[in-house]
Amino acid sequence: MPRNGSFAILFNTLVVMFMLAPLVIVCLVAFTPENTLSLPGWTWSLRWFRKVFEHPDFVTSFINSLWLATVSASLAVGLAVPASLAITRGNFPGRQALEGLFLSPLVIPHLVLGVALLQMFARIGATGSFVWLALAHVVVITPYAMRLLIAAMTGYDRSVEHAALSLGASRLTVFRRITLPMILPGVSGGWLLCFINSFDEVTMSIFITAPSTITLPVKMYMYATESIDPMMAAVSALIVGLTAATALLLDRIYGLDRVLVGQR
Amino acid sequence: MPFLELDALSKHYGPVKAVDDVSLSVEQGEFISLLGPSGCGKTTTLQMIAGFVDATAGRIRLQGRDITHAPANSRGLGIVFQSYALFPHMTVADNVAFGLEMQKVERAERARRVEQALALVHLDAHAGRYPRELSGGQRQRVALARAIVIRPPLLLLDEPLSNLDAKLREAMQFELRTIQQQVGTTTIMVTHDQAEAFSVSDRVVVMQSGRITQIDTPYEVYEHPASEFISRFVGKTNLLPPATDGGPQRHVRPEKLMLKPAGQGRADATIVDRFFLGSQWLYHLESPLGPMVVVQVNDGSPAHPPGTAVALDWDDAILRTLPEGGR
């Protein structure tokens, strides 16, 4: 087993602390009984958490975000599975171009996309449409699913599918019983990455959400520009808690690094 | 009517003739090996029979039925892949049961036949394991059990032993043959290993550049190769000058040459090098006839050290000439 030197341990500790400190502080602030952003002293309070749930628009935007992330992650994975199958197995002209096309949203700033989509939505009358919002999210999150799925499918032994075919399985059965279970880590990992990215997306969503489709990050941003009070900390703490629980679940089921790196 | 018939089967990839005009008749219960160097078309031929590669021209008939363009999942053949191609997310028993499930064999019967097949390959104790928990030889046997449990009319083996180490490979050769004879399934095996082809096959089909160059029993292929290429592919050979001027060159296998004391044979020779193979000694010699290779049984007597002057002797009856035009 490789052992880290004391310098490496110190360095890593500092990095982890540097990254975690803001999260820890925001979670602590959420429990303050005061009216300002301050660390709680001897008395802790849940008043700001109660306040969150007294704001029905926050709860609605949270449900909007959950729903949006679920729908767009599912659509993105539904698109990415056949696309990456074609890209990793097919031998057709334009295969590379197709891969580039699917991964290209990664390099386009969300700000630019947001402005562009705002104009397009206004033109086609899609402003305030949940479906178009979801489609916009699909565009920006699909690359994450593609990366994982392409990794999961590269080096995949096709003769396993041939074996199933030779044993009398139909093409659909081969996909359902053999291919899908074998790429499942890529599928589920991709879905979760997509979900997180969609849930977290704010830059583009600011431009293209309407009051009826507003997402939690956008709502938080708008609230924070008007007033600074510990309720923002409480919302953040809730999201941190939810994310941590999801990450823990993911790690328990597949192993986080395997899901995120897409390796067996 | 032959059990399996390949009739002028061809597969062309653009100008490349991967398989070119291959015709072969296989009788029921036969064990046939397609033998040749890599790129000779043997695997493509097997994949056309399996239905994974579509033939450019020619016919494949199995039990009189034309299956040339039938989909792979309607042919009902048993196939053992070089990589074994086990389903990694299923247990050994589920792997073997998969084909029966596809045939809609009812549950109790399925379990009985899976058990039977696993017993045949001595893996009954491993039914609940996953492929990743098995050794290479065990995976190979699961692949075999999965292929034969569906009682296929034809068993196709694609380099089935090439991923095993030498000792296991030899043991599996005999086991493969024994199992094939027990179940009596007509079998076609693709291999580049002549020893493997010889030890298990009834007949060997030698392929070269997409064409069949010889179909014979293993003994005939070794003793009467149709060409110098085949002669060298299936073993070592020595060239002897023609008996008469302008006559054909004569060949003799290394184990059929005898070493005699100097001056007592038909040609003088000097030992250049020797290699100990356990049961045999392999000698490289220099002689007026050219370089020679001789194999002698290790009968316990001391070997000739390099530099020893000896004489080569042979029985004219065992000299072979190759057919005209044999390449």
Side-chain angles (χ1 to χ4, degrees):
Chain A
M1 212 161 89
R3 284 181 58 88
N4 289 318
S6 48
F7 179 74
I9 289 174
L10 181 74
F11 179 76
N12 287 321
T13 312
L14 283 174
V15 168
V16 169
M17 275 173 62
F18 179 73
M19 296 201 322
L20 282 185
L23 297 183
V24 171
I25 288 172
V26 86
C27 288
L28 291 177
V29 169
F31 291 95
T32 189
E34 310 293 330
N35 283 324
T36 54
L37 289 172
S38 58
L39 287 174
W42 289 111
T43 48
W44 290 38
S45 154
L46 290 175
R47 63 178 277 210
W48 294 110
F49 287 96
R50 274 196 299 276
K51 182 94 180 290
V52 173
F53 292 99
E54 284 162 9
H55 273 267
D57 47 342
F58 265 94
V59 178
T60 314
S61 66
F62 175 72
I63 291 168
N64 271 351
S65 273
L66 269 190
W67 184 226
L68 176 66
T70 308
V71 169
S72 51
S74 306
L75 280 174
V77 168
L79 198 65
V81 167
S84 28
L85 276 174
I87 284 166
T88 50
R89 296 167 175 205
N91 189 17
F92 51 89
R95 198 169 61 87
Q96 300 276 335
L98 193 66
E99 182 176 358
L101 179 73
F102 269 104
L103 296 180
S104 62
L106 278 182
V107 297
I108 299 175
H110 288 193
L111 187 71
V112 175
L113 262 180
V115 173
L117 286 173
L118 175 66
Q119 291 177 359
M120 189 186 102
F121 283 7
R123 246 163 230 265
I124 63 173
T127 319
S129 153
F130 177 82
V131 174
W132 282 98
L133 179 63
L135 289 179
H137 271 226
V138 167
V139 169
V140 297
I141 63 180
T142 302
Y144 296 96
M146 292 287 290
R147 295 292 312 174
L148 279 199
L149 283 167
I150 287 176
M153 288 169 191
T154 310
Y156 172 103
D157 182 9
R158 292 290 312 269
S159 62
V160 176
E161 289 173 358
H162 281 164
L165 267 185
S166 75
L167 291 167
S170 68
R171 296 213 170 254
L172 187 67
T173 308
V174 172
F175 180 77
R176 204 170 47 80
R177 297 280 308 273
I178 310 297
T179 315
L180 198 56
M182 283 177 72
I183 60 169
L184 196 61
V187 173
S188 53
W191 190 89
L192 272 155
L193 262 190
C194 284
F195 182 92
I196 291 168
N197 270 287
S198 166
F199 190 84
D200 194 41
E201 213 294 320
V202 61
T203 323
M204 180 185 76
S205 303
I206 282 179
F207 291 94
I208 55 173
T209 47
S212 62
T213 56
I214 200 157
T215 61
L216 185 62
V218 176
K219 180 79 203 164
M220 283 172 72
Y221 175 78
M222 283 160 54
Y223 187 87
T225 52
E226 289 159 11
S227 52
I228 299 279
D229 68 31
M231 193 179 89
M232 279 301 91
V235 174
S236 305
L238 285 173
I239 296 176
V240 168
L242 195 76
T243 310
T246 313
L248 203 68
L249 195 71
L250 198 60
D251 195 36
R252 275 293 161 86
I253 299 174
Y254 300 111
L256 254 190
D257 45 344
R258 196 175 68 170
V259 168
L260 296 178
V261 183
Q263 280 172 351
R264 283 147 208 276
Chain B
M1 185 182 68
F3 188 75
L4 171 75
E5 194 180 10
L6 308 185
D7 184 8
L9 198 61
S10 297
K11 178 66 192 179
H12 299 171
Y13 294 101
V16 181
K17 294 175 174 175
V19 173
D20 190 23
D21 196 24
V22 159
S23 295
L24 174 68
S25 291
V26 180
E27 296 305 321
Q28 185 156 16
E30 254 192 313
F31 197 126
I32 300 280
S33 284
L34 302 182
L35 175 68
S38 58
C40 72
K42 56 191 192 301
T43 300
T44 310
T45 304
L46 195 81
Q47 289 189 321
M48 283 192 280
I49 302 173
F52 302 141
V53 168
D54 199 34
T56 309
R59 298 273 130 212
I60 305 168
R61 275 182 284 272
L62 180 64
Q63 296 170 292
R65 191 164 64 93
D66 187 332
I67 59 164
T68 316
H69 301 293
N73 53 13
S74 73
R75 298 190 185 195
L77 309 183
I79 305 173
V80 175
F81 295 82
Q82 185 171 11
S83 60
Y84 315 140
L86 299 180
F87 309 134
H89 55 292
M90 295 186 196
T91 61
V92 167
D94 289 344
N95 263 276
V96 178
F98 188 83
L100 298 175
E101 205 184 316
M102 293 302 118
Q103 291 180 349
K104 304 205 163 44
V105 174
E106 59 101 14
R107 193 171 289 270
E109 166 78 357
R110 214 194 296 167
R112 198 181 58 76
R113 276 169 66 179
V114 167
E115 201 177 330
Q116 227 172 32
L118 286 177
L120 189 67
V121 297
H122 312 298
L123 278 178
D124 18 359
H126 296 75
R129 299 264 185 97
Y130 283 89
R132 62 174 177 274
E133 299 169 322
L134 302 179
S135 69
Q138 289 170 330
R139 288 180 202 179
Q140 212 276 335
R141 284 185 288 182
V142 176
L144 184 61
R146 185 178 65 177
I148 57 181
V149 76
I150 61 170
R151 297 183 186 149
L154 187 62
L155 186 61
L156 304 177
L157 311 173
D158 183 10
E159 303 260 7
L161 308 175
S162 62
N163 284 339
L164 303 177
D165 61 66
K167 209 176 170 78
L168 195 56
R169 182 159 50 212
E170 196 178 297
M172 278 305 293
Q173 275 172 23
F174 298 119
E175 200 167 322
L176 201 58
R177 180 59 167 166
T178 312
I179 290 170
Q180 191 264 345
Q181 282 172 339
Q182 272 175 23
V183 293
T185 311
T186 312
T187 303
I188 296 182
M189 176 173 80
V190 156
T191 180
H192 63 272
D193 180 347
Q194 46 89 15
E196 198 171 293
F198 284 176
S199 65
V200 298
S201 319
D202 295 310
R203 283 190 300 157
V204 173
V205 175
V206 186
M207 291 187 69
Q208 196 186 337
S209 313
R211 292 179 149 269
I212 293 180
T213 47
Q214 187 168 9
I215 306 177
D216 254 319
T217 62
Y219 183 82
E220 284 298 313
V221 170
Y222 186 74
E223 290 296 324
H224 298 283
S227 69
E228 187 173 339
F229 176 86
I230 297 173
S231 176
R232 292 192 184 281
F233 189 73
V234 300
K236 294 185 175 65
T237 190
N238 293 296
L239 282 176
L240 295 178
T244 55
D245 277 345
Q249 277 205 317
R250 297 173 301 171
H251 290 248
V252 61
R253 296 280 185 206
E255 71 280 4
K256 297 187 177 78
L257 283 175
M258 290 170 284
L259 292 183
K260 295 275 174 72
Q264 296 183 21
R266 300 168 68 158
D268 288 329
T270 310
I271 303 226
V272 177
D273 213 345
R274 62 173 186 193
F275 303 92
F276 184 51
L277 307 179
S279 62
Q280 296 163 327
W281 285 97
L282 174 73
Y283 294 104
H284 285 179
L285 302 100
E286 198 51 63
S287 81
L289 306 174
M292 292 283 166
V293 184
V294 174
V295 167
Q296 287 214 311
V297 172
N298 171 20
D299 57 6
S301 54
H304 307 285
T308 312
V310 290
L312 289 170
D313 202 4
W314 59 84
D315 178 354
D316 275 334
I318 51 95
L319 297 186
R320 306 290 180 222
T321 57
L322 293 173
E324 282 300 314
R327 277 176 296 129

